[in-house]
Amino acid sequence: MNSAFIDFMRIRFLTMLAYRVNYYSGILIYTLNIGVYYFTWQAIYGSSGELGGFTAAQMTTYIAVSWMARAFYFNNLDREIAADIRDGSIAIQFIRPINYVMVKMMQGLGEGIFRFLLLMIPGMLIAILLFPVELPTAPSAWIGFLVMLFFSFLINSQINVITGLAAFFVENNEGMMRMKRVVVDLFSGLIIPISLYPGWMSAVMKVLPFQAITYLPGSVFTGRLEGTAIWSVLGIQVFWFAVLLLPMVLIWRKARKRLFVQGG
């Protein structure tokens, strides 16, 4: 890996470290979210033993790990890119001997590592103390989940980059970014697991990339997917990572030409 990219990742990590107090409040917010969903689902389950293939215990674990995973893969790359485009600073990136999109991805990874260490892990420990979270016992579940968590970051970041680059082609993509955030949270299974949606809607969501961000890793962590099934769903993530590379590269190339024409 180019050492310059590592430097961008390290600088973003150190920048986040300078404002780490903000993430202490983030732990509280994420814990409150888990608490709200935990008590909501407890009321929904009532005396039911299982809903959508989830037992009550699995649902509690799924809620906790899904929200804390979001703490790792979440970033604002779309807003950063859109801001660079609007204020014209993106033009400076074109004369630098380094790929702008890769720079943003590495900055996002630096932020993700910070969030993993100072938000996700502490937040998960607090969730385990407060709620009846059941941790996996199989090493394959832990390994599979951590690998899938990395791909969750990659896929979510790709979607963010594509959304941010849309600012080249529309006057204001603020609405698009807001819609994207809602769609990702809803269709990824963060708010409601995909298996609980109506059959036709669940089928549609399973052919979209969003399930690879939250639902699949959460299903592995809760033990709903075991053994060779773990590597099968990892393959789904790898597939969507490869598929999303194409529009990201094409949009970036087209955007470069568009900016050149505007610059006359």
Side-chain angles (χ1 to χ4, degrees), residues 1 8 18-19 40 43 57 59 68 73 81 92 102-103 134 137 145 149 155 162 164 180 183 198 209 236 243 253 264:
M1 183 182 296
F8 281 112
Y19 299 97
T40 300
M59 183 61 75
M68 287 307 165
Y73 68 68
I81 293 172
I92 301 174
M102 277 298 298
V103 168
E134 296 181 348
T137 55
F145 172 74
L149 184 62
I155 294 169
I162 291 170
K180 181 271 305 176
V183 168
I236 294 174
V243 167
R253 288 181 177 177

Side-chain angles (χ1 to χ4, degrees), residues 46-115:
S47 58
S48 301
E50 185 176 298
L51 288 174
F54 285 87
T55 64
Q58 285 178 325
M59 183 61 75
T60 300
T61 303
Y62 178 87
I63 292 167
V65 75
S66 295
W67 275 98
M68 287 307 165
R70 185 181 187 274
F72 166 69
Y73 68 68
F74 177 86
N75 57 59
N76 285 309
L77 293 184
D78 50 349
R79 295 186 178 280
E80 293 177 17
I81 293 172
D84 286 347
I85 294 170
R86 284 196 298 268
D87 64 21
S89 60
I90 188 84
I92 301 174
Q93 306 299 329
F94 289 165
I95 62 175
R96 292 178 176 174
I98 194 165
N99 186 281
Y100 173 75
V101 172
M102 277 298 298
V103 168
K104 301 311 294 183
M105 291 289 286
M106 294 308 296
Q107 288 177 338
L109 182 57
E111 179 177 343
I113 294 172
F114 173 87
R115 286 171 164 270

